[in-house]
């Protein structure tokens, strides 16, 4: 079930989970080596690359569950906009996608 994950910048395989950074670029989730991500952040892609890694500080489990709670709260709260609850789903979707597509294939 394991498949190699290749860094979007240097095209080399990412072997350890600690070295894997996933980030959104426009609407796509891309995998990076930690060092390569830092380089791209300072490079020409800055404008397109989200400076918050999905699986890093802002993408930790706590935030993930807060987003889920926010989603259900918005969904069931009286008069709350359903559109707002859908917006809360976007980061959850990215987080799940990042995990399923990249993180679970890279050894811890
Ligand atoms: Zn790399």
């Amino acid at each position: 079930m394991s498949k190699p994950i290749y860094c979007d910048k240097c095209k080399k395989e990412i072997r350890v989970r600690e070295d894997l950074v996933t980030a959104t670029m426009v609407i796509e989730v891309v995998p990076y080596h930690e060092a390569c991500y830092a380089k791209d952040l300072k490079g020409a892609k800055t404008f397109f690359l989200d400076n918050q890694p999905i699986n890093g500080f802002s993408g930790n489990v706590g935030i993930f569950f807060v987003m889920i709670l926010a989603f259900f709260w918005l969904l069931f709260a009286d008069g709350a906009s359903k559109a707002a609850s859908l917006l809360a789903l976007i980061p959850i979707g990215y987080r799940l996608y990042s995990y399923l597509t990249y993180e679970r294939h890279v050894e811890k």
Side-chain angles (χ1 to χ4, degrees):
M1 72 162 243
S2 188
K3 64 166 186 176
I5 302 299
Y6 297 101
C7 173
D8 194 64
K9 183 170 178 65
C10 68
K11 311 298 179 197
K12 289 181 188 148
E13 188 178 353
I14 302 168
R15 292 179 180 279
V16 283
R17 187 84 65 93
E18 269 181 11
D19 207 18
L20 170 67
V21 172
T22 53
T24 49
M25 185 150 67
V26 194
I27 55 162
E28 197 184 353
V29 177
V30 288
Y32 278 108
H33 289 110
E34 202 174 5
C36 295
Y37 175 68
K39 276 181 214 158
D40 254 11
L41 265 191
K42 290 175 191 144
K45 286 183 180 168
T46 308
F47 186 70
F48 302 104
L49 189 62
D50 194 333
N51 64 6
Q52 300 277 11
I54 297 172
N55 68 336
F57 183 72
S58 69
N60 65 30
V61 177
I63 299 287
F64 182 58
F65 281 107
V66 167
M67 295 310 293
I68 289 179
L69 284 176
F71 169 70
F72 282 110
W73 182 79
L74 287 165
L75 197 62
F76 294 114
D78 282 345
S81 150
K82 293 282 186 282
S85 66
L86 287 178
L87 280 179
L89 265 186
I90 293 171
I92 297 172
Y94 273 138
R95 190 68 191 86
L96 273 178
Y97 182 86
S98 165
Y99 179 77
L100 293 173
T101 311
Y102 302 119
E103 291 165 50
R104 74 190 176 98
H105 296 295
V106 179
E107 284 179 43
K108 275 188 185 169

